């Protein structure tokens, strides 16, 4: 049986303060789109993008890219609904990535300036997944990197030289996740237009969508 691929760090470092080993079993970025924290289009506070109420749990993570969504702000009461675009008998799914949410194209609430770039996440679970990877000294990959979120992270987030900066940035995102008022909004959380626009995945409907 082939051994998993590993990424080792060769430079001398002090004793690790966080997780020593990280195992990537093929986590998709799409897995974190079930709950997305965004900037409210009305008040500028924190709003949530969630699956519309009453829908069954998706059988596959890929189905999250087609699932109808609702944007709701507890601060001002703003509501909006999103449905996948239709193409004949199929639905056209969203593309993930970038500093906008995939559905309403609102700026993500969880954004901060880090190492001269923008560090972002969809929700608290996403932050914790990134922190576990960045904090690891040994990284194991047990699957093809084609769709793996960790394999696709930019080099600056994977760099040992940037580890402390990135972990500090993720701690800032943890704090932001607990805040919701318009005044709490990060100065990095604004329209940037860097979300992938290509929408080519399709779902041939056999279910409730």
């Amino acid at each position: 049986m082939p051994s998993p691929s590993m990424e080792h760090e060769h430079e001398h470092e002090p004793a690790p303060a966080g997780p020593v080993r990280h195992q990537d079993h093929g986590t998709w970025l799409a897995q974190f789109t079930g709950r997305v924290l965004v900037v409210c289009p009305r008040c500028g506070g924190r709003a949530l993008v969630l699956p519309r109420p009453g829908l069954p749990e998706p059988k596959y993570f890929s189905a999250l890219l087609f699932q109808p969504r609702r944007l709701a702000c507890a601060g001002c009461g703003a509501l909006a609904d999103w449905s996948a675009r239709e193409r004949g008998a199929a639905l056209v799914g969203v593309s993930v990535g970038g500093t906008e949410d995939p559905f309403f194209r609102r700026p993500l609430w969880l954004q901060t300036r880090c190492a001269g770039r923008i560090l972002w996440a969809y929700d608290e679970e996403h932050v914790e997944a990134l922190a576990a990877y960045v904090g690891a000294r040994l990284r194991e990959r047990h699957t093809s990197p084609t769709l793996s979120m960790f394999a696709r992270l930019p080099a600056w987030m994977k760099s040992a030289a940037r580890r402390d900066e990135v972990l500090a940035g993720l701690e800032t995102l943890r704090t932001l996740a607990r805040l919701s008022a318009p005044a709490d909004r990060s100065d990095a959380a604004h329209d940037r237009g860097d979300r992938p626009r290509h929408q080519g995945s399709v779902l041939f409907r056999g279910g409730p969508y």
Side-chain angles (χ1 to χ4, degrees):
M1 176 181 295
S3 60
S5 61
M6 298 184 183
E7 299 174 17
H8 294 273
E9 295 173 5
H10 301 286
E11 64 266 35
H12 176 73
E13 292 185 340
V20 174
R21 183 184 298 267
H22 180 275
Q23 295 184 336
D24 177 14
H25 294 280
T27 301
W28 291 18
L29 179 57
Q31 293 177 220
F32 299 100
T33 60
R35 181 176 184 272
V36 184
L37 281 60
V38 301
V39 175
C40 175
R42 181 189 293 173
C43 72
R46 188 192 70 189
L48 285 177
V49 174
L50 298 167
R52 285 192 207 165
L55 294 176
E57 288 292 322
K59 294 181 180 180
Y60 307 102
F61 290 123
S62 57
L64 291 168
L65 303 179
F66 306 88
Q67 195 175 39
R69 300 300 170 118
R70 175 162 293 169
L71 182 153
C73 178
C76 70
L79 284 174
D81 286 332
W82 174 91
S83 295
R85 183 166 55 86
E86 297 184 8
R87 183 188 295 168
L91 299 177
V92 180
V94 300
S95 300
V96 294
T99 58
E100 297 176 356
D101 90 273
F103 307 98
F104 297 90
R105 296 182 177 176
R106 293 296 305 155
L108 297 176
W109 180 258
L110 298 182
Q111 296 189 60
T112 188
R113 302 184 190 281
C114 179
R117 292 138 174 118
I118 300 297
L119 180 65
W120 57 267
Y122 286 144
D123 70 349
E124 301 92 329
E125 184 182 2
H126 190 188
V127 172
E128 296 309 319
L130 291 172
Y133 178 85
V134 172
R137 266 60 179 182
L138 177 64
R139 297 162 183 167
E140 299 180 356
R141 190 167 58 238
H142 290 260
T143 187
S144 165
T146 304
L147 295 174
S148 169
M149 174 183 74
F150 300 113
R152 291 168 172 248
L153 289 177
W156 65 272
M157 288 187 65
K158 299 180 180 183
S159 168
R162 297 287 193 183
R163 175 183 287 120
D164 290 344
E165 288 179 88
V166 176
L167 289 175
L170 291 168
E171 186 59 36
T172 297
L173 297 188
R174 286 192 184 100
T175 299
L176 283 170
R178 297 191 291 267
L179 305 174
S180 60
D184 299 324
R185 177 179 176 178
S186 167
D187 68 347
H190 57 78
D191 290 303
R192 201 168 283 106
D194 61 352
R195 191 184 70 79
R197 296 301 187 196
H198 175 69
Q199 295 180 333
S201 56
V202 295
L203 172 71
F204 288 94
R205 285 176 287 184
Y209 305 161

